[in-house]
Amino acid sequence: MSSLSKTDILKMAEENNVKFIRMQFTDILGIVKNVAITVQQLEDALDNKIMFDGSSVDGFTRIQESDMYLRPDYDTFTLFPWRPDEGGTVARLICDVYTPEGKPFSGGPRNVLKKALEEAEEMGFEMNVGPEPEFFLFQLDENGEATTITHDNGGYFDLGPVDKGENARRNIVLALEEMGFEVEASHHEVAPGQHEIDFKYAPALRTADNIATFKFVTKSIAHQHGLHATFMPKPIFGENGSGMHVHQSLFKNGENVFYDGDDRLGLSKTAYHYIGGILKHARAIAAITNPSINSYKRLVPGYEAPVYVAWSSANRSALIRIPAARGNGTRLELRNPDPTANPYLAIAVMLKAGLDGIKNEIEPPEEVLENIYEMTADRKEKLQIESLPSNINEAVDILAGDELIKATLGKHVYEHFVIAKKAEWDAYRTQVTNWELEQYLTTF
């Protein structure tokens, strides 16, 4: 049930001088789409009467079946903390996409997550998720185009004058808090120009909505500061890339079911089985959590990002880490996702993999306390430690063999996702890069 009613929203719009409303949804690749309406159309929008042309959105529908309806989630009504040049306030509503027959559209990523959450609910679980998205702030050139020139030489957690992106980051955090986000921490990251903003954990659907809005707000406010914010995982060779570690836990009747005070690590059987499920499906999930060609330039040894399918209570080279908090703070942290992932699809596939572990009581292997990057190939083989895929093409091929993850996405999303990724790989594979010219042009 929504905590906001139609009357509440109309009243808030009037009291805050709302002139425009952005009806937001994401396409299969996670790009936020907007249908902008005026406040005069708000009542119709709240009655699910706003239509859009689904054939104009990549991977949605063909021309002959293009009409789609936007059904706003009343609880996502919020005001953007800036005003357009025309004056008045702009509000946002996140929407589910429906067919003209009144059915949830199977190609809508938010619908995919809701379906996965229904299964968790049937098992008595509520999923909480806390993401840690990283991003770079780059300077613009004289034409207003993005560069890869950073505006600072700050380092991890740096404070003060050296961190010139601090003003931008502070304004991003203030804007998010005005919109109702609970920001746990924000700091400079390891690489020049790199920042991280961590959200307090929240129910999975709300978190996915927040990630989508967060990217939009970050880019808008960076632009106001004359900077370009990018969530590209590896924009600078030789520097750490941007990840989006995802903390996750399951609750039942307000209690964290991952916690067991009698266990050596304070973890319950449910937690171990959830870890087992994620590790079982990790290589297939990578296509969704790391969906770009550039994602795999981040997932290489030596730069903090995980490469190996293992878990640990203390080891940051493992794919899954168990942070120290226990009791209701007990959770696991999946460390390979990056912020190019569609948050709805990524959370859906993580959850379904974990639930598969719980249903089938999948025991995880022993935790790995050694630094996996320093292990020999023989040692890794002995411990049965597999690697994540090395590129998006390999990841998509592994996804094709995982029936559970394919079923989670549904036929429509899976097929359109694969078509898009294969086309991307082909375009990339046939490019002649500067690296090749530098290596071979004068050598041969």
Side-chain angles (χ1 to χ4, degrees), residues 246-262:
V246 181
H247 294 253
Q248 47 205 294
S249 56
L250 295 180
F251 277 64
K252 187 180 259 186
N253 304 323
E255 295 287 314
N256 187 324
V257 298
F258 281 0
Y259 177 61
D260 179 354
D262 297 330

Side-chain angles (χ1 to χ4, degrees), residues 52-104:
F52 73 101
D53 177 5
S55 68
S56 64
V57 178
D58 278 351
F60 263 33
T61 55
R62 294 187 297 276
I63 300 291
Q64 64 270 32
E65 51 186 44
S66 61
D67 285 346
M68 290 280 158
Y69 283 86
L70 290 175
R71 289 200 182 182
D73 178 337
Y74 286 7
D75 286 342
T76 65
F77 183 80
T78 186
L79 308 175
F80 285 117
W82 59 78
R83 288 170 178 266
D85 297 337
E86 314 87 89
T89 308
V90 181
R92 167 211 84 169
L93 277 165
I94 289 180
C95 303
D96 292 311
V97 180
Y98 273 70
T99 66
E101 295 75 44
K103 291 190 166 59

Side-chain angles (χ1 to χ4, degrees), residues 363-374:
E363 293 292 341
E366 289 292 308
E367 68 165 323
V368 178
L369 296 171
E370 304 159 57
N371 186 336
I372 308 172
Y373 296 136
E374 292 169 4

Side-chain angles (χ1 to χ4, degrees), residues 131-143:
E132 299 179 345
E134 296 167 336
F135 57 95
F136 281 84
L137 292 173
F138 289 129
Q139 291 180 7
L140 302 174
D141 66 15
E142 60 277 8
N143 302 318

Side-chain angles (χ1 to χ4, degrees), residues 137 151-152 160-172 188 195 225 227:
L137 292 173
H151 47 278
D152 69 36
V162 108
D163 180 0
K164 297 206 188 75
E166 194 184 0
N167 284 345
R169 191 179 69 232
R170 187 188 64 227
N171 287 358
I172 291 164
H188 199 292
H195 301 267
H225 283 257
L227 298 168

Side-chain angles (χ1 to χ4, degrees), residues 346-368:
I347 294 171
V349 295
M350 290 183 246
L351 173 60
K352 286 283 284 195
L355 294 180
D356 184 44
I358 294 168
K359 282 180 179 170
N360 293 300
E361 300 185 358
I362 298 170
E363 293 292 341
E366 289 292 308
E367 68 165 323
V368 178

